[in-house]
Amino acid sequence: MNARTLPDTSPSETDHGAETAEWRDAFLSLVAADGPARARQILDELASLARAQRIGWQPNLNSPYVNTIAVQDQPNYPGDLAMEERLGSLIRWNALVMVVRANQAYGELGGHVASYASAADLFETGFNHFFHARSQDHDGDLVFFQPHSAPGVYARAYLEGRLAEADLLHYRQEVTALAQGAHGLSSYPHPWLMPDFWQFPTGSMGIGPISSIYHARFMRYLSHRQLKECAARKVWGVFGDGEMDEPESMSALTLAARENLDNLVWVVNCNLQRLDGPVRGNGRIIDELERLFAGAGWNVIKLVWGSDWDGLFARDTTGALVRALSQTVDGQMQTFAAKDGRYNRDNFFGQNEELRRLAMGLTDEQIDRLKRGGHDLVKIHAAYAAAAAHKGQPTVILAHTKKGYGMGTAGQGKMTTHSQKKLDETDLLEFRNRFKLPLSDEQATGLAFFKPAEDSAEMVYLREHRARLGGAMPRRETACAVVAVPPLPSYGAFALQADEKSMSTTMAFVRMLGNLLKDKELGPRIVPIVADEARTFGMANLFKQVGIYSSVGQRYAPEDIGSVLSYREAMDGQILEEGISEAGAIASWTAAATSYSVHGLAMLPMYIYYSMFGFQRVGDAIWAAADQRARGFLLGATSGRTTLAGEGLQHQDGSSHLVAATIPNCKAWDPAFAGELAVIMDAGMREMLVAQRDVFYYITLMNENYAQPSLPEGAAEGVLRGAYRLSEPANGGESRVTLMGSGAILTEVIKAAQLLQDDGIAADVISVTSWSELARDGVAQTTPYLTTLLADGCGPVIAATDYVRAVPEIVRAWIPQQRGFHTLGTDGFGRSDTRSVLRAFFQVDAAHIAQLARQALEAHAAQP
Ligand SMILES: Cc1ncc(C[n+]2csc(CCOP(=O)(O)OP(=O)(O)O)c2C)c(N)n1
């Protein structure tokens, strides 16, 4: 930053003015003589003096509205600029053609051009010079792409030969593509839909940014625990300025700084627009983000103006240009982007004589083409290089761009440009001319894809540059070694043969976890995750056993140092204690759950939390993890609406199983007994670590202590199919019902069977371990398992859970119709009271279950 461009703060009084001038001159000569480091030292000294004098001074977190990196500090550009411009233009063109043609074919399909038009140079500089793919000598960077800029990534993959023209023609047509032997190209990055291509699902705004932070932190965790050295790898994320408004985007900024994540670089594409209009029409988003990130402790690099502004700034001896730029709000800046050179001359440079003079040497065309920083390869490269080299802090590059860049009157800077996907013939020809594309009029207006000959200099350059960086990107890989799972009895015998010992399923889980952590092979791969609830779930013993991960170890003597359960933080600690941030904890879980793919090293995260604060609180993040093909366990503890006595409305979960059932690769379980839980955990670990299937398990756990029976002989298979017959009536009696229950309410169901038996009614009891697995089986099989299971009994079927009635309702279709199906659940708001009062209130206690059974029998008998 040129000192001449500092705002003039001289007071009006002449002697003060002279004094200020002296200070300024002294400072400038210090910088000139001793360099910036010494200048910083003096400023620090003055700042500490100022604070000691309590003069109430705080430094302004904003720097002038110019590039952070001075011209003289820019490294030489390590590439062929003209060549990269040509390649970039081709990629822009093919991306545009893909979207416009998809829209021509089917107007309903949608797609975006304007976002990529603004991000193209940011992506391309990364692709040509920075983003490492996984290869023999590098384990690969992690790159998060702005989701609605996906067309540009496809267009590059087309030039690289990874996608064919037929694939580009099936952008957003995944189903149609299949029938025609092409690959459908997903709207946004979807690892599930394009499993060899996309790594990170960023389509829901805000999920990508926070995820990138926790991935960067997880790489440190792997290194510190000596599981995998990740020091040479970076996490790059290109995100939108509008996207920064998502609470999740910003919520972990301080964690990234606190953890000194200098392996993390964010590029915020500040095109000043979001979907509806300007991000900050009346302010400046770059200033706001600068303050936010600097305040959070990030290294901030502003990439505001392109090289052709350098001369203007150099000639701006009075600081008029910087002042004018600093006074222009984004809404106005957007208008300048949408208008031509003439308009900009009149309305921006026409503001005063000094500016007018600055623009005098420029033609209107040149004014029109003055580049913003995020469109200038040299400036972008300088920013990326500085970010990559920066030590001790994460870096954010605030890249100033134009939305719809180069789309001329059709779209650049237009209020509606976000959803623009039609260009008329004039627009297309203008675009061709603007980017000097080697296309005839017919090719341009005919929206022909363009690919240079394989042996052309362009293609050679493209291939060579990616080869130097380890090959094509993005690329999702899945190869990883199998992790052996110990035999179930070695860690879960106590649960299988519980022998009526009293315990809660949470206690059983924690005990099994403790045992598993001791296993030589599997133990180190387990990542226990908590969001400030370890003590709540009785896990404090693990603090000592495996330690809490801390990148700096433990710099204090813990208050409870003498105790066996003492609070222990360590650099190789295993527990991720995320504090009260479910969004952070689930992002951590996702990083660990996808480590098999991102790092080629299978890890097994077990995140245990209040079940209410999972699918409801961070459901979208769980959905993204599912898309990213996560493998791991989510443990919804203190689950159900009536088991968590005394906690009331916000804590009592009656719906998580309903949401879990909607996620295709989530297997959701509501076991009642420790033995069931043990069988489910064993199967899950084998499914994920040995068979390597892309599933994750959601298991609800309770904190209610009760007598745990041993798992009945032969019950394991039924447990894993979703239900098994727990007991048959001793006496077959004339009146017979089947009672089904899961989780917390199974004990009520068992009591209800007893009440009914006392009345001479025979009741079969079925323990349901998973309503959603029963339902899935029902859909998939011609003879559903549940139907077969119920064939042995007769009379009405009553189902009760600690969840809303809609949960058991999902199996209705597979209950033999003549038997009748009646459900009980905990619909409504939760509230505080004792368990028994709550169960009576919600009508899921033994008395209500028995009563419903009697009524159902009566109605059944009355049927003709
Ligand atoms: C959670 C969420 N809300 C809304 C959207 C819809 N949406 C997609 S892109 C977009 C605007 C993005 O603006 P910005 O982040 O500034 O990126 P730009 O396209 O301007 O580069 C919106 C609102 C979304 N994808 N995710």
Side-chain angles (χ1 to χ4, degrees), residues 217-227 259 517 523-529 542-554 566-578 588 603:
R217 208 274 304 257
F218 190 69
M219 281 158 70
R220 285 284 164 78
Y221 172 91
L222 289 177
S223 297
H224 284 154
R225 289 197 51 220
Q226 299 183 355
L227 290 165
E259 293 292 312
L517 283 165
R525 304 296 187 90
I526 296 175
V527 185
I529 303 174
L542 295 182
F543 292 165
K544 191 78 181 236
Q545 184 184 330
V546 294
I548 297 164
Y549 171 69
S550 153
S551 57
V552 295
Q554 194 161 35
S566 146
Y567 197 80
R568 186 172 77 85
E569 299 195 58
M571 248 175 110
D572 63 352
Q574 196 161 349
I575 300 170
L576 287 172
E577 164 62 90
E578 302 298 2
S588 253
M603 299 293 288

Side-chain angles (χ1 to χ4, degrees), residues 112 114-116 118-119 146-149 188 202-206 239-244 246 269 271-276 279 403 418 620:
H112 306 90
S115 300
Y116 178 67
S118 67
Q146 216 186 345
H148 42 292
S149 292
Y188 304 110
T202 49
S204 181
M205 313 257 94
F239 306 116
D241 48 357
E243 183 173 12
M244 286 301 120
E246 285 287 359
N269 174 12
N271 58 28
L272 315 186
Q273 288 180 247
R274 50 190 176 202
L275 197 152
D276 285 343
V279 178
K403 192 146 177 174
H418 186 88
D620 196 18

Side-chain angles (χ1 to χ4, degrees), residues 613-667:
F613 305 137
F615 285 88
Q616 169 161 295
R617 178 80 182 223
V618 290
D620 196 18
I622 298 178
W623 183 254
D627 187 1
Q628 210 183 316
R629 312 178 78 120
R631 299 175 186 167
F633 286 92
L634 292 176
L635 291 310
T638 61
S639 76
R641 194 151 268 166
T642 69
T643 27
L644 183 55
E647 290 280 2
L649 178 60
Q650 301 89 349
H651 289 62
Q652 289 170 346
D653 162 36
S655 54
S656 65
H657 275 289
L658 203 53
V659 185
T662 64
I663 301 184
N665 47 347
C666 172
K667 294 193 177 182

Side-chain angles (χ1 to χ4, degrees), residues 209-217 249 252-253 255-256 261 264 266 298:
I210 188 171
S211 188
S212 72
I213 292 178
Y214 281 88
H215 270 286
R217 208 274 304 257
S249 300
L253 296 188
L255 173 120
L261 296 181
L264 177 65
W266 277 14
W298 286 52

Side-chain angles (χ1 to χ4, degrees), residues 10-54:
S10 309
S12 53
E13 284 180 54
T14 355
D15 47 348
H16 275 184
E19 191 184 49
T20 307
E22 267 178 41
W23 279 91
R24 288 173 56 130
D25 288 347
F27 183 73
L28 290 178
S29 55
L30 174 78
V31 179
D34 299 333
R38 176 71 184 138
R40 280 198 295 271
Q41 205 179 11
I42 293 288
L43 288 176
D44 285 345
E45 181 65 28
L46 290 176
S48 100
L49 266 179
R51 291 201 172 111
Q53 299 297 313
R54 294 188 171 76

